[in-house]
Structure formats: C-alpha cells, structure tokens
C-alpha cells in the first residue's frame, strides 16, 4: 500500500506570503493520480487540485500543484486570510489514500 | 441545488451497528460513484469504500471488510453506510463524497461532500 507523507506538519506564515506544501509517496504514483484538498474546522474537505496540477472548478489561480512520481507540491502563491486551513494530499486510482495533512496557520 | 444531505449525529454502544444515510439532490444520482470517508477527532481522512449507485456494486477498504456495508436506494437517491461491531476507535465524522465526474468508471477523487455525520461510540 502506498503511504503518503506530508511535510511540514505545520506551516506558520503571514497573509501575503507564499506557502509550499510537500507530499511524498512511498512508491511511484502512476499517471499523476494525486489530489489536494483544503479543510477548515468543522467543514468537509474541498477539492483543490486533481491530476497533480489541474485546478478544480472554482479554485483561485493562487493555488497550483506540481510534481510527479513520488514527489508532489501544493503552492499557494499569496496567502489570503481564508487560506489558513489544513491541507491533505490524496493518492487515487483504484482506491484512495490520504496523507496526514499540513496545517497552515497564521504567524 | 447540487448537494449531499447526511443523517444526524448518532451515539452507539460498543458492539452495536450504525447506519448513516446520504441523500443526493440536484444531479443524476445513478451517474456518479459515491464514496465514504471518515475522520476521527483531530485526525486525518480515511477512505472506507465506494458504491456504484447505478448497480449497487461496492468495494471496501481492506480495513473495513466484513464490518461495512454500503447500499443505495434509487427511489430516494440515497446511499447508506452501515458499520457493525462498533468500537471506541470508530468514533469519527463520516462523510459521503461524490466522484468529480459522471462516468462508467470511478475517478476516486471527490468534488462534492456531505457535511458529515458524527458517530460516537461510547458505553
């Protein structure tokens, strides 16, 4: 089973700064079947990115995904106040596995 | 509008079963695979299984094999997730989540989520 490791566990940044979140897989993820979700307290997750780099409907272009193989990155170019949340990566294809999450908090 | 409405919070005793419902509206129910994902308090997300609302076919995560049953009712556009032999570590919020696109094959990533159902297992 593929294990996803997200780092850092917590990222402390100020609004306007750039956030770089990492997701590393224990084995190669074929065809870039990698998604990213945002979750705020008390809410369901929201799909941000699928296929490693495609933005989901309605997602602002400050969110971008990149990577392939075993190393994937979610970048938020300039943090808005509403972007402080927990972010999960997910490997998919014949089942679904999530990473442990990265919390982006206000510094 | 397009939405998934889940049933309310449940409190169950260890060893009991719980059945959570998820009613879909605003789209063609049978065209989108549906998944169940759970989240223990303060923890991450855990995929439990998938159901094809068109024919009722299911696939479960190995961890839940033998304890989980997912069904659907096409007359009410509702999917159900029943978890049996409950333990304290089954305490979690249970989400239904829809595949991003309609199709004959699942995409395994989710663009529409219910608000979640808190299941508490306590004696």
């Amino acid at each position: 089973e593929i294990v996803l490791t997200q780092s850092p566990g917590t990222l402390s940044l100020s609004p306007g700064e750039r956030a770089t979140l990492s997701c590393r897989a224990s084995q190669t993820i074929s065809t870039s079947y990698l998604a990213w979700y945002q979750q705020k307290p008390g809410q369901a997750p929201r799909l941000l990115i699928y296929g490693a780099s495609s933005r989901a409907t309605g997602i602002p272009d400050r969110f971008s995904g990149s990577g392939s193989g075993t190393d994937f990155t979610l970048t938020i170019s300039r943090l808005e106040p509403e972007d402080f949340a927990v972010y999960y990566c997910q490997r998919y294809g014949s089942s679904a596995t999530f990473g442990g999450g990265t919390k982006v908090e206000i510094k | 509008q397009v939405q998934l409405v889940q049933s309310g919070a449940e409190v169950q005793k260890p060893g009991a079963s719980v059945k959570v419902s998820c009613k879909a509206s605003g789209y063609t129910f049978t065209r989108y695979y549906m998944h169940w994902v759970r989240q223990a308090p303060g923890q991450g997300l855990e995929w439990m299984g998938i159901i094809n609302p068109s024919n009722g076919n299911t696939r479960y995560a190995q961890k839940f094999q033998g304890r989980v049953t997912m069904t659907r009712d096409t007359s009410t556009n509702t999917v159900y997730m029943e978890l049996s032999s409950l333990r304290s570590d089954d305490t979690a919020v249970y989400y239904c989540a829809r595949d991003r696109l309609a199709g004959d094959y699942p995409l395994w990533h989710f663009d529409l989520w219910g608000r979640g159902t808190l299941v508490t297992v306590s004696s």
Side-chain angles (χ1 to χ4, degrees), chain A residues 25-107:
Chain A
S26 59
Q27 301 173 44
T28 295
I29 296 178
S30 60
T31 327
S32 295
Y33 283 165
L34 194 285
W36 290 92
Y37 297 83
Q38 175 194 68
Q39 188 178 34
K40 298 178 181 178
Q43 296 185 18
R46 178 174 72 143
L47 178 66
L48 300 175
I49 301 287
Y50 62 92
S53 60
S54 297
R55 270 188 300 276
T57 303
I59 301 304
D61 60 7
R62 65 179 181 273
F63 291 92
S64 64
S66 63
S68 63
T70 60
D71 291 300
F72 298 86
T73 301
L74 175 70
T75 302
I76 310 170
S77 59
R78 289 177 54 86
L79 283 164
E80 297 287 341
E82 62 269 26
D83 298 337
F84 292 91
V86 178
Y87 292 83
Y88 294 96
C89 60
Q90 177 214 358
R91 164 255 166 192
Y92 58 89
S94 57
S95 67
T97 307
F98 292 91
T102 290
K103 181 179 182 180
V104 179
E105 65 176 21
I106 299 177
K107 186 175 182 179

Side-chain angles (χ1 to χ4, degrees), chain B residues 7 28 47 59 61-62 71 73 84 90 92 95 98:
Chain B
S7 49
T28 303
W47 179 78
R59 179 175 175 177
Q62 189 169 5
T71 56
D73 182 342
S84 62
D90 290 318
Y95 293 101
R98 191 194 73 171

Side-chain angles (χ1 to χ4, degrees), chain B:
Chain B
Q1 77 264 32
V2 179
Q3 62 179 352
L4 301 173
V5 178
Q6 296 189 223
S7 49
E10 300 252 11
V11 179
Q12 298 290 344
K13 295 189 183 305
S17 297
V18 69
K19 191 170 186 177
V20 179
S21 68
C22 170
K23 182 176 177 60
S25 62
Y27 70 93
T28 303
F29 174 69
T30 53
R31 296 219 59 215
Y32 291 77
Y33 285 82
M34 195 76 80
H35 304 254
W36 288 90
V37 176
R38 78 176 186 179
Q39 185 171 38
Q43 303 301 309
L45 302 166
E46 182 174 33
W47 179 78
M48 299 180 68
I50 180 176
I51 183 167
N52 180 346
S54 178
N55 58 21
N57 287 350
T58 56
R59 179 175 175 177
Y60 306 133
Q62 189 169 5
K63 175 177 179 176
F64 300 101
Q65 289 273 4
R67 278 210 307 144
V68 70
T69 304
M70 297 177 188
T71 56
R72 96 292 190 211
D73 182 342
T74 56
S75 68
T76 60
N77 290 353
T78 302
V79 295
Y80 299 90
M81 186 285 300
E82 184 171 19
L83 189 62
S84 62
S85 303
L86 289 169
R87 307 184 287 257
S88 58
D89 62 359
D90 290 318
T91 294
V93 175
Y94 290 77
Y95 293 101
C96 56
R98 191 194 73 171
D99 247 20
R100 184 175 61 84
L101 293 177
D104 295 332
Y105 301 97
L107 294 182
W108 302 93
H109 57 279
F110 326 122
D111 77 330
L112 180 67
W113 295 66
R115 296 183 68 175
T117 297
L118 175 62
V119 174
T120 303
V121 182
S122 173
S123 55

